[in-house]
Amino acid sequence: MNFFYFTISLFLGIIVNAQNTTADKAIVDSTKNWSIVGQNNLMINQSAFSNWIGGGINNVGWLAGVNYNFTYKNDKDLLENIVILDYGENQMQGVGSRKTQDIINISSNYGRKISDKWYASIGTSLHTLFAAGYEEGNNPDAPKISNFMAPGCLNIGSGFTYRANDNFTITLRPINARWTFVMDKELQKAGTYGLKNDGDSSLFQLGFLAMGIYKMKIMDQVTLTNTAFVFSDYLQHSERLIMSYNGVLNMKINNYLSTLLTLDLFYDHNQIKQVQLKQTLGVGLAYNINNGVKRNKK
């Protein structure tokens, strides 16, 4: 717990210092160094059958999500905040509602430039879910396997960030504290998400974290965003890496319609000893915001 308080104090101290630095320059900079890139999506799919010899179940599904990147950048400071929220359900006749998508991913990383493209940085991130998940294809009558903040993964660490440009960023944290919270009492059992004992509500890990974002323009109106994450625990079983990959292929039809193809791969020995995979494809409404990066006049 002492390490927890020390890390929190260090993080808050740097953020306060960053805010003070920004405040000192407020008269000069105002909001001109901020950029906002955002995507809002609403995907709907539906199938209906009547006397159809091939068979089928009437169903309707929806998926809503937002993906925002708020970036502050000047000569020395870089502050990047990312908010990703996704949730979707599918309603099938005679079966009921099933959750198909559930993501809460919030992160913040502050860096102070030490060379042309390198920053000394400190950051935090939180990953969790909106609602409960169940076995047997998310059947609410089956055993519960997840819930909001069960698991909830909080990372706080310091290290270095390499930012080649707006499309390619890598962060390396030789010191990163990782807490896995299991706040649902039904899931607080030894072995669940790495918990040591029945009734435990969290697991603490200290290790090395690396993460990167690479955005590609494949062709006109088609972009691919790649996000990768690796964590190794210094305290126990450093060879058991926690790894994740997220790929989002955005095929823009016009200003309001787009097709999204997503692929998620995840491995954590403390969850299951297999690679987890999730893939989605949807066509629907999309509204994008991109104000570019504004600069002050010299």
Side-chain angles (χ1 to χ4, degrees), residues 38-43 64-68 258 285-289:
Q39 186 175 70
N40 308 272
N41 298 296
L42 177 61
M43 308 291 176
V66 297
N67 187 330
Y68 275 79
S258 70
L285 299 175
Y287 178 69
N288 299 330
I289 296 174

Side-chain angles (χ1 to χ4, degrees), residues 41-43 62-66 85-89 97-103 129-132:
N41 298 296
L42 177 61
M43 308 291 176
W62 61 272
L63 188 155
V66 297
L85 307 174
D86 284 306
Y87 190 80
E89 289 187 353
S97 181
R98 297 288 188 269
K99 181 174 67 171
T100 58
Q101 182 84 313
D102 193 349
I103 298 172
L129 308 171
F130 282 102

Side-chain angles (χ1 to χ4, degrees), residues 211-252:
M211 56 185 177
I213 299 176
Y214 179 42
K215 302 175 184 177
M216 305 169 55
K217 182 177 181 180
I218 298 177
M219 60 181 68
D220 189 37
Q221 307 290 7
V222 179
T223 60
L224 174 63
T225 301
N226 304 275
T227 305
F229 169 101
V230 178
F231 176 80
S232 176
D233 185 10
Y234 292 144
L235 304 179
Q236 189 175 14
H237 295 294
S238 59
E239 76 282 1
R240 296 178 181 174
L241 301 178
I242 299 174
M243 299 179 289
S244 72
Y245 167 80
N246 169 257
V248 179
L249 182 65
N250 187 348
M251 295 168 282
K252 186 177 179 181

Side-chain angles (χ1 to χ4, degrees), residues 108-244:
S108 181
N109 192 66
Y110 168 73
R112 182 74 175 175
K113 181 175 283 190
I114 55 176
S115 67
D116 182 31
K117 297 179 180 180
W118 284 94
Y119 297 79
S121 62
I122 186 169
T124 183
S125 64
L126 174 67
H127 307 263
T128 187
L129 308 171
F130 282 102
Y134 303 88
E135 294 179 355
E136 301 177 7
N138 249 332
N139 180 3
D141 297 324
K144 186 192 300 182
I145 55 177
S146 62
N147 207 342
F148 175 73
M149 290 303 291
C153 296
L154 175 66
N155 286 282
I156 300 177
S158 60
F160 303 93
T161 295
Y162 174 78
R163 185 179 176 89
N165 49 54
D166 290 342
N167 296 320
F168 183 49
T169 303
I170 293 177
T171 295
L172 306 174
R173 295 180 187 161
I175 301 176
N176 187 87
R178 176 182 173 88
W179 287 268
T180 300
F181 296 99
V182 182
M183 306 309 295
D184 189 321
K185 292 186 180 297
E186 295 180 34
L187 302 176
Q188 293 176 355
K189 300 177 182 179
T192 302
Y193 299 115
L195 297 181
K196 303 300 183 184
N197 307 291
D198 290 347
D200 286 353
S201 60
S202 65
L203 170 71
F204 173 75
Q205 296 171 289
L206 178 66
F208 174 85
L209 180 146
M211 56 185 177
I213 299 176
Y214 179 42
K215 302 175 184 177
M216 305 169 55
K217 182 177 181 180
I218 298 177
M219 60 181 68
D220 189 37
Q221 307 290 7
V222 179
T223 60
L224 174 63
T225 301
N226 304 275
T227 305
F229 169 101
V230 178
F231 176 80
S232 176
D233 185 10
Y234 292 144
L235 304 179
Q236 189 175 14
H237 295 294
S238 59
E239 76 282 1
R240 296 178 181 174
L241 301 178
I242 299 174
M243 299 179 289
S244 72

Side-chain angles (χ1 to χ4, degrees), residues 43-55:
M43 308 291 176
I44 298 176
N45 58 76
Q46 181 266 342
S47 298
F49 304 87
S50 178
N51 303 318
W52 188 254
I53 194 171

